[in-house]
């Protein structure tokens, strides 16, 4: 219940007005039923009291007008509800996207892609019956039933109270089973998202599954997950049906009790014939909104757990807080970097990724960070970009703690070439312009030339306007890497971080790209994170990491002569190449 409330709190005022408009339409439809019931009761009373047909024409005409008005209102409601739902879904998707941008990659990377995608797409899409039917019906049904019951109470208080009690107990009985339904609904949501995520993994990793003859095994696992999802769906449906059956039984029970009590009062003279007919007609109209609410409730049975899934994402709080409003003035350009006794541990690991990491990079200095896999090299980049915050210690840019910079300003100072190059589905130009949206054609071309990417781009079917495909799959790994380098150069940031900049480039191009990087890093404070030691020999300084801290520092020649970890890594790579 509170998850649904949380979900609706993100809506714009216009959405609330539109939902309120749906409620008003439903109340007007209920009013036409009540007015028709009163007129029919009056007609029956006249016929039974006088036996004539004089004076019946006007009520019959009014009943006809009410029916035509009801048809018009239903048409408007059915036309209006999908538009309200579409607006709400758009607002929810926008809020979900903003939330994902707010929590950042540090938290988002710990969530499965399939889970996020099912929430962003499917869960938001399932909100149609919740927004367009159930929520307006819940408000309109309660108000309509209460108003009809009040009129019945004015005719016969005892009968009216019976009708009101049964009308309110019908939805309350369903709320009583809400915990049972919630447990099964949550299980259904987890099962659905798991099946979605596993199916997405299988589709994206189809080549790997085929290469290891594992597609049959993964297919059987997906079949088992599908069967489990089917069982969870049946359990949820059983819970819904069992809970709603109690509410449905209260409608005929309340109707029979009201009619029986009214007939007894009429027989004893406590109620007139006209009053009895009024009770007969209005009792049915009192329970009609509850019947419509039950249908809406049933239609929204899968939307409610989907709404909870959306609310769970909206409840996420970013672990990295953007508290600064203005950036401190930089005294030097490019600025220096300083890591002081930095400690950090990923929530999913026991061993710290960084444990007392300290490093000072002077303005314009090019420092290479090397070490075995898992030493914590890429974590340095994540902390500098504030994808995470340190558990201890500090990181400073030009003497200022990075928390003093707004996140957007901090990240504008740093150009990044990541180890896992990500290109969006779009053209080469669009992927380059992510770095600087308003860059001129000359600036784009200079960055492309500097990254030695011009030759292969001119060979593409449409050059810079060629669509690279999802994740850039239409390009080779080396081509994607060179576009990533060009993108970082186009940003023209004073600090440059290269995380394995030549990891996907063949040996023939490695020397050329390394020489190019040597040229473009002049005048920039540069941190190069590398496994390939051949790319860092010319760095101003090389630091060697092990177990989250720096264990060696110096030039290539000094570190090789020192016969420490760096010399061991060089010997290992040299032997592997030989």
């Amino acid at each position: 219940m509170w998850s649904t409330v949380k979900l609706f709190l993100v809506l714009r005022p216009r959405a609330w007005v539109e939902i309120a408009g749906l409620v008003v339409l439903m109340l007007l439809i209920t009013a036409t039923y009540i007015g028709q019931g009163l007129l029919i009761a009056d007609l029956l009373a006249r016929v039974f009291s006088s036996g004539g047909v004089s004076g019946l024409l006007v009520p019959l005409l009014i009943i006809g007008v009410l029916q035509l008005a009801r048809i018009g209102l239903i048409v408007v409601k059915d036309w209006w509800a999908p538009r309200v739902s579409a607006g709400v879904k758009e607002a929810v998707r926008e809020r979900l996207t903003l939330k994902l941008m707010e929590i950042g990659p540090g938290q988002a990377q710990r969530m499965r892609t399939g889970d996020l995608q099912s929430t962003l797409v499917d869960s938001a899409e399932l909100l149609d019956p919740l927004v367009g039917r159930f929520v307006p019906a819940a408000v309109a049904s309660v108000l309509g039933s209460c108003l009809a019951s009040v009129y019945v109470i004015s005719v016969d208080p005892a009968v009216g109270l019976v009708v009101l009690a049964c009308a309110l107990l019908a939805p309350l009985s369903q709320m009583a089973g809400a915990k049972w339904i919630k447990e099964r609904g949550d299980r259904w949501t987890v099962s659905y998202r798991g099946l979605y995520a596993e199916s997405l993994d299988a589709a994206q990793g189809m080549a790997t599954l085929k290469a290891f003859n594992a597609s049959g095994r993964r297919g059987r696992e997906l079949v088992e997950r599908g069967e489990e999802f089917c069982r969870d769906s049946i359990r949820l449906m059983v819970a819904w049906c069992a809970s709603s059956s109690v509410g449905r039984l209260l409608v005929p029970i309340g109707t029979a009790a009201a009619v029986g009590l009214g007939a007894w009062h009429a027989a004893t003279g406590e109620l007139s014939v006209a009053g009895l007919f009024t009770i007969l007609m209005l009792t049915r109209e009192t329970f009609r909104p509850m019947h419509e609410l039950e249908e809406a409730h049933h239609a929204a049975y899968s939307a409610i757990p989907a709404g909870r899934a959306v609310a769970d994402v909206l409840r996420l709080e970013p672990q990295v807080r953007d508290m600064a409003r203005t950036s401190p003035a930089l005294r030097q350009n490019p600025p220096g970097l300083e890591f002081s006794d930095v400690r950090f541990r990923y929530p999913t690991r026991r061993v710290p990724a960084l444990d007392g990491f300290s490093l000072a990079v002077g303005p314009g200095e090019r420092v290479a960070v090397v070490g075995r896999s898992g030493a914590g090299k890429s974590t340095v980049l994540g902390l500098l970009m504030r994808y995470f915050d340190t558990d201890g210690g500090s990181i400073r840019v030009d003497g200022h703690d990075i928390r003093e910079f707004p996140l957007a300003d901090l990240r504008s100072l740093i150009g990044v070439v990541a180890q896992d190059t990500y290109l969006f589905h779009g053209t080469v130009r669009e992927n380059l312009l992510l770095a600087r949206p308003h860059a001129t054609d000359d600036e784009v071309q200079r960055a492309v030339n500097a990254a030695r990417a011009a030759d292969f781009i001119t060979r593409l079917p449409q050059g810079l306007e060629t669509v690279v495909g999802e994740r850039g799959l239409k390009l080779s790994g080396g081509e994607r890497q060179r576009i990533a380098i060009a993108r970082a150069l186009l940003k023209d940031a004073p600090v440059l971080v290269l995380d394995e900049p030549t990891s996907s480039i063949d040996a023939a191009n490695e020397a050329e790209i390394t020489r190019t990087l040597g040229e473009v890093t002049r005048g920039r404070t540069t941190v190069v994170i590398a496994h390939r030691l051949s790319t860092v020999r010319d760095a101003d300084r090389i630091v060697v990491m092990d177990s989250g801290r720096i264990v060696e520092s110096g030039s290539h020649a000094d570190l090789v002569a020192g016969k420490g970890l760096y010399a061991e890594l060089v010997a290992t790579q040299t032997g592997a190449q030989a």
Side-chain angles (χ1 to χ4, degrees):
M1 179 63 180
W2 291 113
S3 297
T4 305
V5 173
K6 173 73 173 180
L7 171 63
F8 279 89
L9 289 177
V10 306
L11 301 182
R12 300 187 182 95
R14 178 180 174 181
W16 283 104
V17 172
E18 291 174 342
I19 293 173
L22 275 179
V23 172
V24 171
L25 284 173
M26 292 181 177
L27 286 174
L28 290 174
I29 292 170
T30 300
T32 64
Y33 279 115
I34 294 174
Q36 177 180 299
L38 291 173
L39 288 170
I40 293 174
D42 181 61
L43 285 173
L44 292 174
R46 290 187 186 186
V47 171
F48 277 90
S49 63
S50 65
V53 294
S54 59
L56 301 183
L57 181 59
V58 173
L60 287 173
L61 288 175
I62 297 175
I63 291 173
V65 171
L66 288 175
Q67 289 180 338
L68 291 175
R70 185 188 312 130
I71 293 172
L73 290 169
I74 291 174
V75 169
V76 173
K77 177 182 74 68
D78 291 342
W79 171 83
W80 184 246
R83 285 159 176 77
V84 174
S85 298
V88 170
K89 289 188 296 183
E90 180 183 358
V92 168
R93 287 197 186 98
E94 179 182 343
R95 189 67 185 88
L96 282 171
T97 303
L98 292 175
K99 175 59 70 172
L100 290 178
M101 297 299 103
E102 181 184 6
I103 64 176
Q107 285 175 265
Q109 287 173 359
R110 294 199 291 270
M111 305 169 70
R112 294 194 69 178
T113 304
D115 288 348
L116 281 176
Q117 188 168 344
S118 67
T119 301
L120 282 169
V121 179
D122 295 338
S123 294
E125 191 63 31
L126 286 171
L127 295 178
D128 256 330
L130 181 65
V131 175
R133 290 192 62 184
F134 178 67
V135 172
V139 178
S141 298
V142 172
L143 291 176
S145 295
C146 289
L147 291 174
S149 299
V150 168
Y151 195 95
V152 176
I153 289 174
S154 67
V155 176
D156 190 315
V159 175
L161 290 175
V162 169
V163 172
L164 179 62
C166 291
L168 294 179
L169 283 175
L172 290 176
S173 65
Q174 295 181 357
M175 293 178 62
K179 183 178 180 181
W180 185 33
I181 294 173
K182 181 181 181 302
E183 291 174 354
R184 298 200 171 194
D186 290 344
R187 185 178 180 85
W188 179 89
T189 302
V190 171
S191 180
Y192 174 79
R193 291 166 66 178
L195 177 62
Y196 192 104
E198 291 293 339
S199 300
L200 184 63
D201 279 350
Q204 292 177 338
M206 184 61 67
T208 303
L209 294 174
K210 290 293 185 183
F212 290 95
N213 287 325
S215 56
R217 295 195 301 274
R218 180 53 64 92
R220 289 189 291 273
E221 291 172 2
L222 289 176
V223 170
E224 292 175 0
R225 276 191 171 269
E227 292 174 348
E228 181 182 353
F229 172 67
C230 180
R231 289 192 293 270
D232 290 334
S233 299
I234 293 173
R235 293 190 187 102
L236 177 60
M237 183 63 73
V238 168
W240 277 100
C241 292
S243 176
S244 62
S245 296
V246 177
R248 289 187 176 185
L249 284 173
L250 285 171
V251 173
I253 290 173
T255 302
V259 172
L261 186 58
W264 180 46
H265 286 174
T268 58
E270 299 178 23
L271 184 66
S272 65
V273 174
L276 179 59
F277 284 130
T278 299
I279 290 174
L280 288 173
M281 293 296 105
L282 286 193
T283 298
R284 180 172 179 270
E285 303 309 331
T286 301
F287 289 119
R288 183 192 298 277
M290 290 302 165
H291 178 68
E292 294 174 352
L293 175 60
E294 170 58 32
E295 291 181 347
H297 198 204
H298 185 270
Y301 83 93
S302 59
I304 292 177
R308 281 198 292 267
V310 171
D312 288 341
V313 175
L314 295 178
R315 271 201 303 268
L316 292 175
E317 293 295 333
Q319 296 176 352
V320 175
R321 296 285 183 179
D322 190 2
M323 305 299 292
R325 295 187 177 182
T326 58
S327 297
L330 296 180
R331 294 167 297 181
Q332 302 182 76
N333 189 18
L337 306 176
E338 183 181 359
F339 299 81
S340 301
D341 193 29
V342 174
R343 296 181 298 280
F344 177 76
R345 181 179 66 84
Y346 291 101
T348 56
R349 299 181 184 178
R350 295 182 179 180
V351 180
L354 295 181
D355 188 12
F357 176 82
S358 296
L359 172 66
V361 183
E365 185 180 15
R366 182 181 179 186
V367 174
V369 181
V370 302
R372 297 188 178 95
S373 296
K377 303 184 297 298
S378 295
T379 303
V380 174
L381 169 60
L383 292 173
L384 177 61
M385 298 293 289
R386 284 200 73 193
Y387 299 152
F388 321 94
D389 273 337
T390 63
D391 297 332
S394 65
I395 303 174
R396 296 181 177 274
V397 175
D398 197 36
H400 301 283
D401 193 294
I402 58 174
R403 292 182 176 87
E404 298 177 21
F405 294 84
L407 286 174
D409 291 354
L410 172 67
R411 292 165 183 168
S412 69
L413 296 174
I414 306 168
V416 177
V417 178
Q419 180 178 359
D420 183 15
T421 300
Y422 194 98
L423 299 182
F424 291 89
H425 181 78
T427 65
V428 175
R429 184 188 299 276
E430 288 169 346
N431 276 277
L432 291 171
L433 291 178
L434 285 174
R436 203 190 325 166
H438 304 296
T440 64
D441 290 344
D442 289 341
E443 290 170 335
V444 170
Q445 194 60 49
R446 281 198 297 270
V448 167
N449 293 336
R452 298 296 192 269
D455 289 343
F456 89 83
I457 290 177
T458 56
R459 291 194 298 269
L460 294 174
Q462 286 84 38
L464 286 170
E465 308 307 323
T466 302
V467 176
V468 300
E470 186 178 2
R471 299 179 65 90
L473 291 180
K474 293 184 180 179
L475 305 177
S476 69
E479 290 169 342
R480 291 196 297 270
Q481 197 77 352
R482 277 180 280 181
I483 289 178
I485 293 172
R487 186 165 58 188
L489 297 180
L490 182 62
K491 187 176 182 179
D492 196 25
V495 178
L496 190 60
V497 179
L498 310 174
D499 188 0
E500 295 293 339
T502 61
S503 61
S504 301
I505 296 175
D506 53 46
N509 291 314
E510 180 181 347
E512 183 180 4
I513 292 295
T514 301
R515 185 169 57 255
T516 300
L517 290 174
E519 296 171 0
V520 301
T521 54
R522 291 196 187 101
R524 291 183 173 89
T525 302
T526 306
V527 177
V528 183
I529 299 170
H531 283 96
R532 286 188 184 182
L533 302 182
S534 57
T535 63
V536 301
R537 292 172 183 261
D538 298 330
D540 298 331
R541 182 159 44 108
I542 300 172
V543 297
V544 185
M545 291 187 65
D546 189 33
S547 300
R549 63 185 67 182
I550 294 176
V551 295
E552 297 179 21
S553 178
S555 66
H556 171 76
D558 292 340
L559 291 174
V560 170
K563 297 182 179 180
L565 178 58
Y566 182 81
E568 180 183 337
L569 293 173
V570 171
T572 301
Q573 288 196 11
T574 304
Q577 293 169 2

